[in-house]
Amino acid sequence: MHDAPPGDLFGFRLSVLARQWRRAVERHLARAGLTDASWAPLIHLHEAGDGIAQKELAARVGTDDSSLVRLLDILEGRALIERRIDDRDRRARLIHLTPAGREEVARLRRLLAQAEADLLADVSDAEVATMLAAFDRIAARLRGTEP
């Protein structure tokens, strides 16, 4: 297996590393008092912009609608998000960050930056830039092959 071309190892190693990275970030956030997965929807909501549909947010977070509903209930209870009726489809709800939600996202970004700095301590900025460029090319290919 060690003699395999790098392309034969890439997918497996990337998926293992992604799980390890996620666990390390979650441990870092847990030390800061964030013990549930509710931080991910906040970050995705901030990235997507206010007024995202619940179904689209679930897809971005990588969870099903019912699991996301529970997280959104928690976030709404903490006054970090609000659900608003979609003017185009009155049955749908659009998710928005509240001012407190924006403050929480800023705090999360600081904590995530600290975690990333720790995890990337042995990797140069140039190496990170190279990896990000490769990720972008892979993502573009994936978008082109999706049905």
Short mmCIF file of all heavy atoms in Angstrom, two decimals, residues 86-141:
data_model
loop_
_atom_site.label_atom_id
_atom_site.label_comp_id
_atom_site.label_asym_id
_atom_site.label_seq_id
_atom_site.Cartn_x
_atom_site.Cartn_y
_atom_site.Cartn_z
N ASP A 86 -41.01 33.26 4.27
CA ASP A 86 -40.53 33.60 2.94
C ASP A 86 -41.68 34.25 2.17
O ASP A 86 -42.73 33.64 1.99
CB ASP A 86 -40.05 32.32 2.23
CG ASP A 86 -39.45 32.55 0.87
OD1 ASP A 86 -39.58 33.67 0.32
OD2 ASP A 86 -38.84 31.61 0.34
N ASP A 87 -41.48 35.47 1.73
CA ASP A 87 -42.54 36.18 1.00
C ASP A 87 -42.93 35.47 -0.29
O ASP A 87 -44.06 35.61 -0.75
CB ASP A 87 -42.09 37.61 0.66
CG ASP A 87 -41.97 38.47 1.91
OD1 ASP A 87 -42.64 38.16 2.92
OD2 ASP A 87 -41.19 39.46 1.88
N ARG A 88 -42.00 34.72 -0.89
CA ARG A 88 -42.28 34.01 -2.15
C ARG A 88 -43.02 32.70 -1.92
O ARG A 88 -43.68 32.20 -2.83
CB ARG A 88 -40.99 33.76 -2.91
CG ARG A 88 -40.34 35.06 -3.40
CD ARG A 88 -38.94 34.80 -3.86
NE ARG A 88 -38.20 34.41 -2.65
CZ ARG A 88 -36.96 34.01 -2.62
NH1 ARG A 88 -36.29 33.87 -3.72
NH2 ARG A 88 -36.37 33.71 -1.49
N ASP A 89 -42.87 32.13 -0.74
CA ASP A 89 -43.52 30.85 -0.40
C ASP A 89 -43.86 30.90 1.08
O ASP A 89 -43.03 30.61 1.92
CB ASP A 89 -42.59 29.68 -0.71
CG ASP A 89 -43.21 28.33 -0.38
OD1 ASP A 89 -44.33 28.29 0.17
OD2 ASP A 89 -42.55 27.31 -0.65
N ARG A 90 -45.06 31.26 1.40
CA ARG A 90 -45.46 31.50 2.78
C ARG A 90 -45.36 30.25 3.66
O ARG A 90 -45.40 30.34 4.87
CB ARG A 90 -46.87 32.09 2.83
CG ARG A 90 -46.92 33.33 1.95
CD ARG A 90 -47.64 34.54 2.40
NE ARG A 90 -47.98 34.79 3.74
CZ ARG A 90 -47.32 35.63 4.54
NH1 ARG A 90 -46.24 36.23 4.11
NH2 ARG A 90 -47.74 35.86 5.75
N ARG A 91 -45.21 29.07 3.05
CA ARG A 91 -45.03 27.84 3.84
C ARG A 91 -43.60 27.69 4.32
O ARG A 91 -43.33 26.99 5.28
CB ARG A 91 -45.39 26.61 3.01
CG ARG A 91 -46.85 26.57 2.57
CD ARG A 91 -47.05 25.51 1.54
NE ARG A 91 -46.28 25.92 0.35
CZ ARG A 91 -46.06 25.16 -0.71
NH1 ARG A 91 -46.52 23.94 -0.76
NH2 ARG A 91 -45.37 25.60 -1.74
N ALA A 92 -42.67 28.37 3.63
CA ALA A 92 -41.24 28.22 3.94
C ALA A 92 -40.78 29.27 4.94
O ALA A 92 -41.35 30.36 5.02
CB ALA A 92 -40.44 28.33 2.64
N ARG A 93 -39.75 28.91 5.67
CA ARG A 93 -39.12 29.83 6.62
C ARG A 93 -37.68 30.07 6.18
O ARG A 93 -36.97 29.14 5.80
CB ARG A 93 -39.12 29.25 8.04
CG ARG A 93 -40.49 28.95 8.61
CD ARG A 93 -41.23 30.24 8.94
NE ARG A 93 -42.52 30.01 9.55
CZ ARG A 93 -43.67 29.95 8.88
NH1 ARG A 93 -43.67 30.07 7.58
NH2 ARG A 93 -44.80 29.77 9.52
N LEU A 94 -37.28 31.32 6.26
CA LEU A 94 -35.90 31.69 5.97
C LEU A 94 -35.19 31.98 7.29
O LEU A 94 -35.78 32.55 8.21
CB LEU A 94 -35.86 32.92 5.06
CG LEU A 94 -36.56 32.76 3.72
CD1 LEU A 94 -36.48 34.05 2.91
CD2 LEU A 94 -35.97 31.60 2.93
N ILE A 95 -33.94 31.58 7.37
CA ILE A 95 -33.19 31.70 8.61
C ILE A 95 -32.31 32.95 8.54
O ILE A 95 -31.61 33.18 7.54
CB ILE A 95 -32.30 30.45 8.83
CG1 ILE A 95 -33.08 29.15 8.60
CG2 ILE A 95 -31.67 30.48 10.22
CD1 ILE A 95 -34.30 28.98 9.44
N HIS A 96 -32.32 33.73 9.62
CA HIS A 96 -31.53 34.96 9.72
C HIS A 96 -30.78 34.96 11.04
O HIS A 96 -31.30 34.51 12.06
CB HIS A 96 -32.46 36.19 9.69
CG HIS A 96 -33.16 36.38 8.39
ND1 HIS A 96 -32.72 37.25 7.43
CD2 HIS A 96 -34.29 35.81 7.90
CE1 HIS A 96 -33.54 37.22 6.40
NE2 HIS A 96 -34.49 36.35 6.66
N LEU A 97 -29.57 35.52 11.01
CA LEU A 97 -28.82 35.76 12.25
C LEU A 97 -29.39 36.99 12.94
O LEU A 97 -29.76 37.97 12.28
CB LEU A 97 -27.34 36.01 11.95
CG LEU A 97 -26.50 34.81 11.58
CD1 LEU A 97 -25.14 35.27 11.08
CD2 LEU A 97 -26.35 33.86 12.76
N THR A 98 -29.44 36.96 14.25
CA THR A 98 -29.79 38.13 15.03
C THR A 98 -28.50 38.88 15.34
O THR A 98 -27.40 38.35 15.11
CB THR A 98 -30.46 37.71 16.36
OG1 THR A 98 -29.49 36.98 17.12
CG2 THR A 98 -31.72 36.88 16.13
N PRO A 99 -28.59 40.09 15.90
CA PRO A 99 -27.34 40.77 16.32
C PRO A 99 -26.53 39.91 17.30
O PRO A 99 -25.30 39.84 17.19
CB PRO A 99 -27.86 42.05 16.97
CG PRO A 99 -29.13 42.35 16.22
CD PRO A 99 -29.74 40.98 15.99
N ALA A 100 -27.20 39.23 18.22
CA ALA A 100 -26.48 38.34 19.15
C ALA A 100 -25.85 37.18 18.38
O ALA A 100 -24.76 36.72 18.73
CB ALA A 100 -27.43 37.82 20.22
N GLY A 101 -26.52 36.72 17.33
CA GLY A 101 -25.97 35.66 16.50
C GLY A 101 -24.72 36.10 15.77
O GLY A 101 -23.74 35.35 15.65
N ARG A 102 -24.71 37.35 15.31
CA ARG A 102 -23.52 37.89 14.65
C ARG A 102 -22.35 37.99 15.63
O ARG A 102 -21.21 37.72 15.27
CB ARG A 102 -23.83 39.25 14.04
CG ARG A 102 -24.77 39.16 12.86
CD ARG A 102 -24.98 40.50 12.19
NE ARG A 102 -26.19 40.48 11.39
CZ ARG A 102 -26.40 39.74 10.34
NH1 ARG A 102 -25.47 38.92 9.92
NH2 ARG A 102 -27.54 39.78 9.67
N GLU A 103 -22.64 38.39 16.86
CA GLU A 103 -21.59 38.45 17.88
C GLU A 103 -21.05 37.05 18.16
O GLU A 103 -19.83 36.86 18.33
CB GLU A 103 -22.13 39.07 19.16
CG GLU A 103 -22.39 40.55 19.07
CD GLU A 103 -23.01 41.13 20.33
OE1 GLU A 103 -22.94 40.47 21.40
OE2 GLU A 103 -23.56 42.23 20.24
N GLU A 104 -21.94 36.07 18.22
CA GLU A 104 -21.51 34.69 18.46
C GLU A 104 -20.66 34.17 17.30
O GLU A 104 -19.67 33.48 17.52
CB GLU A 104 -22.73 33.78 18.69
CG GLU A 104 -22.38 32.36 19.03
CD GLU A 104 -21.72 32.16 20.40
OE1 GLU A 104 -21.43 33.15 21.10
OE2 GLU A 104 -21.49 31.00 20.77
N VAL A 105 -21.02 34.53 16.07
CA VAL A 105 -20.23 34.13 14.91
C VAL A 105 -18.82 34.74 15.01
O VAL A 105 -17.82 34.06 14.74
CB VAL A 105 -20.91 34.51 13.58
CG1 VAL A 105 -19.95 34.39 12.41
CG2 VAL A 105 -22.14 33.64 13.35
N ALA A 106 -18.73 35.99 15.42
CA ALA A 106 -17.42 36.63 15.57
C ALA A 106 -16.59 35.89 16.61
O ALA A 106 -15.39 35.65 16.41
CB ALA A 106 -17.59 38.10 15.95
N ARG A 107 -17.22 35.51 17.72
CA ARG A 107 -16.52 34.74 18.76
C ARG A 107 -16.08 33.37 18.21
O ARG A 107 -14.95 32.92 18.43
CB ARG A 107 -17.42 34.56 19.98
CG ARG A 107 -16.77 33.81 21.12
CD ARG A 107 -17.64 33.83 22.36
NE ARG A 107 -18.59 32.76 22.41
CZ ARG A 107 -18.44 31.64 23.11
NH1 ARG A 107 -17.35 31.47 23.85
NH2 ARG A 107 -19.35 30.71 23.11
N LEU A 108 -16.99 32.72 17.48
CA LEU A 108 -16.67 31.42 16.89
C LEU A 108 -15.49 31.54 15.92
O LEU A 108 -14.60 30.69 15.92
CB LEU A 108 -17.88 30.85 16.14
CG LEU A 108 -18.99 30.29 17.00
CD1 LEU A 108 -20.24 30.05 16.16
CD2 LEU A 108 -18.54 29.00 17.66
N ARG A 109 -15.50 32.56 15.11
CA ARG A 109 -14.41 32.76 14.14
C ARG A 109 -13.07 32.91 14.86
O ARG A 109 -12.06 32.38 14.40
CB ARG A 109 -14.70 33.96 13.26
CG ARG A 109 -15.84 33.73 12.31
CD ARG A 109 -15.42 34.12 10.91
NE ARG A 109 -16.49 33.88 9.97
CZ ARG A 109 -16.57 32.80 9.21
NH1 ARG A 109 -15.65 31.88 9.29
NH2 ARG A 109 -17.56 32.65 8.37
N ARG A 110 -13.06 33.63 15.97
CA ARG A 110 -11.82 33.78 16.74
C ARG A 110 -11.36 32.42 17.28
O ARG A 110 -10.18 32.07 17.21
CB ARG A 110 -12.00 34.77 17.89
CG ARG A 110 -12.07 36.22 17.45
CD ARG A 110 -12.02 37.20 18.61
NE ARG A 110 -13.09 37.02 19.58
CZ ARG A 110 -14.29 37.57 19.49
NH1 ARG A 110 -14.61 38.34 18.47
NH2 ARG A 110 -15.20 37.36 20.43
N LEU A 111 -12.30 31.65 17.82
CA LEU A 111 -11.96 30.33 18.36
C LEU A 111 -11.51 29.38 17.25
O LEU A 111 -10.56 28.61 17.44
CB LEU A 111 -13.17 29.74 19.10
CG LEU A 111 -13.55 30.46 20.40
CD1 LEU A 111 -14.92 30.00 20.87
CD2 LEU A 111 -12.50 30.22 21.47
N LEU A 112 -12.19 29.42 16.11
CA LEU A 112 -11.81 28.57 14.99
C LEU A 112 -10.42 28.95 14.46
O LEU A 112 -9.63 28.08 14.11
CB LEU A 112 -12.85 28.64 13.87
CG LEU A 112 -14.19 27.98 14.18
CD1 LEU A 112 -15.23 28.33 13.13
CD2 LEU A 112 -14.03 26.47 14.31
N ALA A 113 -10.13 30.24 14.44
CA ALA A 113 -8.81 30.70 13.98
C ALA A 113 -7.72 30.17 14.92
O ALA A 113 -6.65 29.76 14.46
CB ALA A 113 -8.78 32.22 13.90
N GLN A 114 -8.00 30.18 16.23
CA GLN A 114 -7.03 29.64 17.19
C GLN A 114 -6.81 28.15 16.96
O GLN A 114 -5.67 27.66 16.96
CB GLN A 114 -7.51 29.87 18.62
CG GLN A 114 -7.48 31.31 19.05
CD GLN A 114 -8.17 31.51 20.40
OE1 GLN A 114 -8.81 30.61 20.95
NE2 GLN A 114 -8.06 32.72 20.93
N ALA A 115 -7.92 27.42 16.76
CA ALA A 115 -7.82 25.98 16.53
C ALA A 115 -7.03 25.71 15.25
O ALA A 115 -6.15 24.84 15.22
CB ALA A 115 -9.21 25.35 16.45
N GLU A 116 -7.34 26.44 14.19
CA GLU A 116 -6.63 26.25 12.93
C GLU A 116 -5.15 26.57 13.07
O GLU A 116 -4.30 25.87 12.51
CB GLU A 116 -7.26 27.08 11.81
CG GLU A 116 -8.55 26.49 11.31
CD GLU A 116 -9.05 27.17 10.05
OE1 GLU A 116 -8.34 28.02 9.47
OE2 GLU A 116 -10.16 26.83 9.63
N ALA A 117 -4.83 27.64 13.78
CA ALA A 117 -3.43 27.99 13.98
C ALA A 117 -2.69 26.86 14.68
O ALA A 117 -1.56 26.52 14.31
CB ALA A 117 -3.31 29.29 14.78
N ASP A 118 -3.32 26.26 15.67
CA ASP A 118 -2.70 25.12 16.37
C ASP A 118 -2.51 23.94 15.43
O ASP A 118 -1.45 23.31 15.40
CB ASP A 118 -3.56 24.68 17.56
CG ASP A 118 -3.58 25.70 18.69
OD1 ASP A 118 -2.73 26.62 18.69
OD2 ASP A 118 -4.46 25.57 19.57
N LEU A 119 -3.56 23.63 14.66
CA LEU A 119 -3.51 22.46 13.79
C LEU A 119 -2.56 22.65 12.61
O LEU A 119 -2.00 21.68 12.09
CB LEU A 119 -4.92 22.13 13.29
CG LEU A 119 -5.88 21.64 14.37
CD1 LEU A 119 -7.31 21.61 13.85
CD2 LEU A 119 -5.47 20.27 14.88
N LEU A 120 -2.38 23.89 12.19
CA LEU A 120 -1.52 24.16 11.03
C LEU A 120 -0.13 24.67 11.42
O LEU A 120 0.60 25.18 10.56
CB LEU A 120 -2.21 25.19 10.11
CG LEU A 120 -3.49 24.72 9.43
CD1 LEU A 120 -4.16 25.88 8.71
CD2 LEU A 120 -3.21 23.57 8.47
N ALA A 121 0.23 24.51 12.67
CA ALA A 121 1.50 25.05 13.16
C ALA A 121 2.71 24.54 12.37
O ALA A 121 3.69 25.27 12.23
CB ALA A 121 1.67 24.72 14.65
N ASP A 122 2.65 23.34 11.85
CA ASP A 122 3.79 22.76 11.14
C ASP A 122 3.66 22.87 9.62
O ASP A 122 4.42 22.21 8.88
CB ASP A 122 3.96 21.29 11.52
CG ASP A 122 4.22 21.12 13.01
OD1 ASP A 122 4.93 21.97 13.59
OD2 ASP A 122 3.70 20.15 13.60
N VAL A 123 2.72 23.69 9.15
CA VAL A 123 2.47 23.84 7.72
C VAL A 123 2.64 25.31 7.37
O VAL A 123 2.08 26.18 8.03
CB VAL A 123 1.04 23.36 7.37
CG1 VAL A 123 0.78 23.46 5.87
CG2 VAL A 123 0.81 21.92 7.85
N SER A 124 3.40 25.59 6.32
CA SER A 124 3.65 26.98 5.93
C SER A 124 2.42 27.60 5.26
O SER A 124 1.54 26.88 4.75
CB SER A 124 4.85 27.06 4.97
OG SER A 124 4.47 26.57 3.70
N ASP A 125 2.39 28.92 5.24
CA ASP A 125 1.31 29.63 4.54
C ASP A 125 1.28 29.25 3.06
O ASP A 125 0.20 29.10 2.47
CB ASP A 125 1.47 31.15 4.67
CG ASP A 125 1.16 31.65 6.08
OD1 ASP A 125 0.57 30.89 6.89
OD2 ASP A 125 1.51 32.81 6.38
N ALA A 126 2.44 29.08 2.46
CA ALA A 126 2.51 28.70 1.04
C ALA A 126 1.91 27.31 0.82
O ALA A 126 1.19 27.08 -0.16
CB ALA A 126 3.96 28.75 0.55
N GLU A 127 2.19 26.39 1.74
CA GLU A 127 1.62 25.04 1.62
C GLU A 127 0.10 25.08 1.77
O GLU A 127 -0.62 24.40 1.05
CB GLU A 127 2.24 24.11 2.66
CG GLU A 127 3.68 23.75 2.37
CD GLU A 127 4.33 23.00 3.52
OE1 GLU A 127 4.20 23.44 4.69
OE2 GLU A 127 4.97 21.97 3.24
N VAL A 128 -0.37 25.88 2.72
CA VAL A 128 -1.82 26.02 2.90
C VAL A 128 -2.45 26.60 1.64
O VAL A 128 -3.47 26.11 1.16
CB VAL A 128 -2.16 26.88 4.14
CG1 VAL A 128 -3.64 27.20 4.20
CG2 VAL A 128 -1.71 26.18 5.41
N ALA A 129 -1.83 27.62 1.07
CA ALA A 129 -2.35 28.24 -0.15
C ALA A 129 -2.40 27.22 -1.29
O ALA A 129 -3.38 27.18 -2.05
CB ALA A 129 -1.51 29.44 -0.54
N THR A 130 -1.38 26.39 -1.41
CA THR A 130 -1.36 25.36 -2.45
C THR A 130 -2.49 24.35 -2.24
O THR A 130 -3.18 23.97 -3.20
CB THR A 130 0.01 24.64 -2.46
OG1 THR A 130 1.02 25.60 -2.75
CG2 THR A 130 0.05 23.52 -3.49
N MET A 131 -2.68 23.92 -0.99
CA MET A 131 -3.77 22.98 -0.71
C MET A 131 -5.12 23.60 -1.01
O MET A 131 -6.00 22.94 -1.60
CB MET A 131 -3.71 22.51 0.75
CG MET A 131 -2.60 21.51 1.02
SD MET A 131 -2.65 20.83 2.69
CE MET A 131 -1.92 22.15 3.63
N LEU A 132 -5.32 24.84 -0.61
CA LEU A 132 -6.60 25.51 -0.86
C LEU A 132 -6.88 25.64 -2.36
O LEU A 132 -8.02 25.45 -2.80
CB LEU A 132 -6.65 26.88 -0.18
CG LEU A 132 -6.70 26.85 1.35
CD1 LEU A 132 -6.60 28.26 1.91
CD2 LEU A 132 -7.96 26.16 1.84
N ALA A 133 -5.85 25.94 -3.12
CA ALA A 133 -6.02 26.02 -4.58
C ALA A 133 -6.41 24.66 -5.14
O ALA A 133 -7.29 24.57 -6.02
CB ALA A 133 -4.74 26.54 -5.23
N ALA A 134 -5.79 23.61 -4.65
CA ALA A 134 -6.14 22.26 -5.10
C ALA A 134 -7.57 21.92 -4.69
O ALA A 134 -8.34 21.34 -5.48
CB ALA A 134 -5.15 21.24 -4.53
N PHE A 135 -7.97 22.28 -3.46
CA PHE A 135 -9.35 22.04 -3.02
C PHE A 135 -10.33 22.75 -3.93
O PHE A 135 -11.38 22.20 -4.28
CB PHE A 135 -9.55 22.51 -1.58
CG PHE A 135 -8.86 21.69 -0.52
CD1 PHE A 135 -8.79 22.17 0.77
CD2 PHE A 135 -8.29 20.46 -0.79
CE1 PHE A 135 -8.17 21.44 1.77
CE2 PHE A 135 -7.66 19.71 0.19
CZ PHE A 135 -7.60 20.21 1.48
N ASP A 136 -10.00 23.98 -4.31
CA ASP A 136 -10.88 24.74 -5.20
C ASP A 136 -11.05 24.04 -6.54
O ASP A 136 -12.16 23.97 -7.09
CB ASP A 136 -10.34 26.16 -5.43
CG ASP A 136 -10.48 27.05 -4.21
OD1 ASP A 136 -11.26 26.70 -3.29
OD2 ASP A 136 -9.81 28.10 -4.18
N ARG A 137 -9.96 23.49 -7.09
CA ARG A 137 -10.05 22.78 -8.37
C ARG A 137 -10.87 21.50 -8.23
O ARG A 137 -11.67 21.16 -9.10
CB ARG A 137 -8.65 22.48 -8.91
CG ARG A 137 -7.91 23.73 -9.38
CD ARG A 137 -6.64 23.41 -10.15
NE ARG A 137 -5.68 22.58 -9.44
CZ ARG A 137 -4.77 23.02 -8.57
NH1 ARG A 137 -4.70 24.30 -8.28
NH2 ARG A 137 -3.94 22.18 -8.00
N ILE A 138 -10.69 20.80 -7.12
CA ILE A 138 -11.48 19.58 -6.88
C ILE A 138 -12.95 19.94 -6.74
O ILE A 138 -13.83 19.28 -7.32
CB ILE A 138 -10.96 18.82 -5.65
CG1 ILE A 138 -9.56 18.27 -5.91
CG2 ILE A 138 -11.92 17.69 -5.26
CD1 ILE A 138 -8.84 17.77 -4.66
N ALA A 139 -13.24 20.99 -5.98
CA ALA A 139 -14.63 21.43 -5.79
C ALA A 139 -15.26 21.82 -7.12
O ALA A 139 -16.43 21.50 -7.39
CB ALA A 139 -14.69 22.58 -4.80
N ALA A 140 -14.51 22.50 -7.98
CA ALA A 140 -15.04 22.89 -9.29
C ALA A 140 -15.37 21.66 -10.13
O ALA A 140 -16.41 21.60 -10.79
CB ALA A 140 -14.02 23.77 -10.02
N ARG A 141 -14.51 20.66 -10.06
CA ARG A 141 -14.78 19.42 -10.79
C ARG A 141 -16.02 18.73 -10.24
O ARG A 141 -16.86 18.23 -10.98
CB ARG A 141 -13.58 18.47 -10.74
CG ARG A 141 -13.86 17.15 -11.47
CD ARG A 141 -12.61 16.38 -11.74
NE ARG A 141 -11.70 17.03 -12.64
CZ ARG A 141 -11.73 16.89 -13.97
NH1 ARG A 141 -12.64 16.12 -14.53
NH2 ARG A 141 -10.85 17.50 -14.72
#
